[in-house]
Amino acid sequence: MTDLKRARDISERKKYVRSLFDSIVPGYDLLNRVLSFGIDTGWRKKLLGLMGEAGGAAVLDACSGTGDLGRMMREKGFSVVSLDFSLPMLAAGKGRGWIERPVCADASRLPFRNSSFAFITIAFGIRNIPDRENFISDCLMALAPGGRLLILELTRPRSGITAALHGFYLGRILPFIGGALSGRMHAYRYLSDTIREFADPVTLRKEILAGGFSSVRVTGLTFGSATIFDCARP
Ligand SMILES: C[S@@+](CC[C@H](N)C(=O)[O-])C[C@H]1O[C@@H](n2cnc3c(N)ncnc32)[C@H](O)[C@@H]1O
């Protein structure tokens, strides 16, 4: 594929993803709870637990959505900038008081180059970024030396019966419940397809190390249906 064709494909995919998220803002957070049986809150708490004491440390929450994770970090004393390319997501979060400092931008072109953040977090966002190698390298520039990138992402269980049940849930249940409750079946079909097609944790870990991070600690959650990548900047 030529560079130009790849750039066009990437920008088309981003346009599609942005309009998809714009369209599911009403009810989005409630559906997250319903579709994950409430487990997503526990996964966010697990990520928060890895961050230790806040002491006012600066965090960039990339692909923040309405700020569900950001508000938990602010409650703990972190100073949070919430970045998303969907203006309706940021506006909904700001309206609810979940987002204090919104930035509307593409996560793979971060408007921060000054090594100022102690943490960058990204919850359920990285699988939507087609040029994630840019996101990884931009994180290195935005993080302070010794800072950490914490990625929480939906992944696929590996072992027999759990993998089969998870596959059934993704293919046959999630798009229908999500579609019925939001009126946007295609959006929830896309979300379930991206989980199935996304890189496995071993591959993503290799990509992050190749991108320049010095270590990546991988923690599987709930039989591997979600994974946290705790990545240290040199
Ligand atoms: C599945 S939602 C996750 C939202 C939030 N982090 C949460 O935990 O609920 C993914 C979010 O990533 C945003 N997003 C996807 N690709 C992006 C990109 N390239 N740059 C900025 N935001 C992006 C979408 O607009 C959406 O709000």
Side-chain angles (χ1 to χ4, degrees), residues 39-125:
I39 302 173
D40 63 314
T41 301
W43 293 337
R44 289 187 176 89
K45 283 187 182 154
K46 179 91 184 166
L47 183 148
L48 201 56
L50 294 175
M51 297 170 75
E53 289 309 309
V59 182
L60 173 64
D61 185 31
C63 296
S64 64
T66 56
D68 208 355
L69 174 64
R71 82 190 153 108
M72 292 166 79
M73 297 191 287
R74 280 175 56 216
E75 280 163 15
K76 215 179 153 189
F78 289 98
S79 163
V80 182
V81 173
S82 303
L83 179 142
D84 203 289
F85 67 6
S86 164
L87 204 50
M89 281 278 180
L90 292 171
K94 185 91 175 137
R96 283 179 209 164
W98 290 6
I99 288 181
E100 189 183 32
R101 295 160 68 197
V103 173
C104 192
D106 183 346
S108 50
R109 284 185 176 62
L110 289 179
F112 305 101
R113 289 276 181 277
N114 53 353
S115 310
S116 56
F117 291 100
F119 295 96
I120 296 178
T121 55
I122 179 165
F124 315 118

Side-chain angles (χ1 to χ4, degrees), residues 199-228:
D200 63 89
V202 175
T203 307
L204 184 57
R205 180 175 180 276
K206 277 188 197 153
E207 280 180 23
I208 298 165
L209 287 171
F213 280 83
S214 52
S215 70
V216 181
R217 190 175 299 171
V218 178
T219 308
L221 307 169
T222 320
F223 307 107
S225 53
T227 303
I228 292 177

Side-chain angles (χ1 to χ4, degrees), residues 159-172:
S159 67
I161 182 77
T162 334
L165 286 172
H166 187 259
F168 181 76
Y169 178 71
L170 281 187
R172 301 293 166 109

Side-chain angles (χ1 to χ4, degrees), residues 171-184:
R172 301 293 166 109
I173 299 185
L174 186 149
F176 293 97
I177 300 182
L181 296 181
S182 69
R184 300 273 192 280

